[in-house]
Amino acid sequence: MTLHPFYIGIDISKAYLDIFEESTSKHLQIENTSEAISAWLSALPDMPSLNIIFEATGRYDRKLTHALHTLKIRFSRVNPARARDFARALGQMAKTDQIDARMLADMGKCLKPDATTQRAPERDQLAALHKRRDELVDTRKKERQRLAQALSEEHASIARHISWLNEEIKFIEQKRDTLLKETAEFTHDNKLLRSIPGVGPVAATTLLALMPELGHASPKAIAALAGLAPFNVDSGQFRGHRAIKGGRKRVRNALYMAAVTAARSNSHFASFAQALIKRGKPFKAAMIALARKILITANALLRDSVPFNA
């Protein structure tokens, strides 16, 4: 007997989940709380062909993702840009929560996106610590900018806040380092990544937290995931400049900084960057090419479980 896939689209906001069941054309709205989500999922029929589709929304989809992983229900957490492009392809210009939920169910039925694989709890913890550190560092940067122009009445307050931020960042980094040491997989992979010239603790943590595919994907696929794969811009006889786009911005930023560091090191990465610049490549383009090379190297090291060998 053939089981027909059963698709559910969910539009997620801070307070609510708007749900559309494709088979019954039924709309439903529930609160975005663990209790409401569990009650709704428990009431669903036991269907092996069930597919739930929703956009990646950062913190707002955490409760839903956790519940689906716990109940081992298949779901696809899709890129919001891809979902919006699908809506435009359908000619759907209007945008409401109910319309978006229905569109996501249609997207699942038409495109059949791959299921999102379950991540280890330790990787989620590392990602949360990494994100929190980024937030604190960004706030400290802004406060330092304010301090430079502060009046005497503001100076002491801003200085106290910067001092607190320094301590909090140090505390988060200690928790991060403890997690890296206590998780065998992280300890092993972190050692391999840190052996690459230019890859420091922040870049290594970024890759461990945000690139779980590292070591399990092809070089082209891993470069595309990070937004470091150049795409053709050709039409007819026109040949445009290859350009990178999309991908995981935080990963790309970390690898760019790693590339800048590697370009100053005593390694073949520096020779690679210098050769590109001598051939007329702009500095930024050379660093992007080097960042891609570092990522592909990291992918190979984790795949083969060997350290970098200059």
Side-chain angles (χ1 to χ4, degrees):
M1 183 177 73
T2 302
L3 293 175
H4 294 288
F6 176 47
Y7 292 96
I8 294 178
I10 303 179
D11 183 75
I12 301 175
S13 65
K14 180 179 179 180
Y16 298 104
L17 303 183
D18 283 89
I19 301 165
F20 178 78
E21 297 181 1
E22 176 261 336
S23 64
T24 60
S25 297
K26 174 183 170 184
H27 283 280
L28 173 69
Q29 186 182 78
I30 64 172
E31 293 183 347
N32 191 357
T33 63
S34 299
E35 296 76 15
I37 292 169
S38 296
W40 170 65
L41 290 174
S42 300
L44 287 175
D46 185 13
M47 302 178 67
S49 58
L50 176 62
N51 295 267
I52 294 179
I53 318 293
F54 58 91
E55 294 177 0
T57 52
R59 296 178 184 272
Y60 295 160
D61 66 44
R62 283 181 177 177
K63 297 183 181 71
L64 176 61
T65 301
H66 177 72
L68 292 170
H69 276 319
T70 301
L71 296 174
K72 298 187 179 346
I73 296 175
R74 188 187 191 279
F75 69 94
S76 297
R77 187 173 181 262
V78 300
N79 188 320
R82 188 182 180 196
R84 199 61 213 151
D85 286 343
F86 177 79
R88 292 192 186 97
L90 294 179
Q92 181 64 62
M93 296 296 107
K95 192 178 187 310
T96 67
D97 295 340
Q98 286 194 359
I99 288 173
D100 285 351
R102 182 167 194 149
M103 177 273 297
L104 286 165
D106 290 340
M107 180 180 178
K109 187 176 181 180
C110 293
L111 302 185
K112 298 178 176 57
D114 294 335
T116 300
T117 55
Q118 184 169 3
R119 287 158 52 104
E122 294 82 5
R123 199 175 296 275
D124 285 335
Q125 292 170 22
L126 185 63
L129 289 171
H130 182 269
K131 183 175 179 62
R132 183 56 184 157
R133 181 189 179 279
D134 278 353
E135 292 168 345
L136 292 170
V137 169
D138 183 60
T139 302
R140 183 176 63 182
K141 178 183 176 182
K142 292 176 180 176
E143 285 290 71
R144 284 174 172 171
Q145 291 171 343
R146 295 185 186 104
L147 188 64
Q149 305 297 328
L151 299 175
S152 57
E153 293 82 2
E154 304 168 310
H155 196 280
S157 173
I158 297 173
R160 284 195 305 270
H161 192 203
I162 291 174
S163 178
W164 179 87
L165 287 167
N166 288 335
E167 292 300 315
E168 192 64 16
I169 290 168
K170 185 178 178 181
F171 174 72
I172 294 294
E173 289 175 343
Q174 289 172 344
K175 290 189 69 174
R176 175 201 66 192
D177 293 343
T178 300
L179 180 60
L180 290 174
K181 290 176 183 176
E182 292 179 349
T183 308
E185 181 184 357
F186 289 161
T187 302
H188 176 265
D189 290 352
N190 186 53
K191 186 177 180 179
L192 297 180
L193 293 172
R194 292 293 304 276
S195 71
I196 303 172
V199 176
V202 175
T205 304
T206 302
L207 292 173
L208 289 172
L210 305 182
M211 291 291 286
E213 302 88 352
L214 204 63
H216 306 286
S218 69
K220 287 185 178 180
I222 207 73
L225 285 171
L228 289 170
F231 291 94
N232 294 351
V233 187
D234 301 336
S235 180
Q237 295 182 351
F238 174 77
R239 295 294 179 269
H241 291 290
R242 277 37 175 175
I244 60 171
K245 57 183 175 182
R248 298 170 192 174
K249 185 175 184 296
R250 182 62 185 93
V251 173
R252 187 166 60 253
N253 290 347
L255 288 168
Y256 185 89
M257 295 309 299
V260 172
T261 303
R264 299 168 180 161
S265 68
N266 183 23
S267 71
H268 80 269
F269 285 150
S271 302
F272 173 81
Q274 289 164 10
L276 290 176
I277 292 171
K278 285 180 180 177
R279 280 160 41 194
K281 282 275 188 185
F283 178 81
K284 188 173 181 179
M287 292 304 100
I288 290 294
L290 181 52
R292 182 167 59 251
K293 189 175 182 67
I294 290 173
L295 177 62
I296 291 171
T297 300
N299 190 52
L301 297 188
L302 266 60
R303 181 195 63 210
D304 300 336
S305 192
V306 295
F308 180 83
N309 187 345

